[in-house]
Amino acid sequence: MLKALLQGEITQTEYLNSNDVTLLYKELPKKIYGFIFRYKGRNIIAINSNISNKKKKMTILHELAH
């Protein structure tokens, strides 16, 4: 399904919903772009709100690959 996201066949929102993933944007230390963790059965991806939009997109893809 990640391949479908990368090829534009589904939206990021569709992918996140179908995989029980929640995105959070938080201020994190400069060298931390993001991380993923599990809480109450859901996967949560925390993204540093202070990085560029390009880095946010790349970080989300990186974390989804876990």
Side-chain angles (χ1 to χ4, degrees), residues 5-42:
L5 174 63
L6 293 171
Q7 293 176 339
E9 297 169 6
I10 61 172
T11 66
Q12 178 177 290
T13 301
E14 290 171 324
Y15 183 87
L16 296 174
N17 289 338
S18 67
N19 288 285
D20 291 325
V21 177
T22 300
L23 278 181
L24 296 176
Y25 294 91
K26 298 287 183 183
E27 287 189 30
L28 300 172
K30 289 182 182 181
K31 294 187 179 189
I32 298 175
Y33 293 167
F35 58 91
I36 189 167
F37 63 99
R38 193 156 178 82
Y39 181 73
K40 292 188 177 183
R42 285 195 60 88

Side-chain angles (χ1 to χ4, degrees), residues 24-60:
L24 296 176
Y25 294 91
K26 298 287 183 183
E27 287 189 30
L28 300 172
K30 289 182 182 181
K31 294 187 179 189
I32 298 175
Y33 293 167
F35 58 91
I36 189 167
F37 63 99
R38 193 156 178 82
Y39 181 73
K40 292 188 177 183
R42 285 195 60 88
N43 293 308
I44 315 264
I45 297 177
I47 301 295
N48 190 334
S49 61
N50 294 318
I51 59 177
S52 70
N53 286 337
K54 182 178 179 179
K55 284 183 182 178
K56 286 176 186 169
K57 288 179 184 181
M58 296 300 291
T59 303
I60 290 168

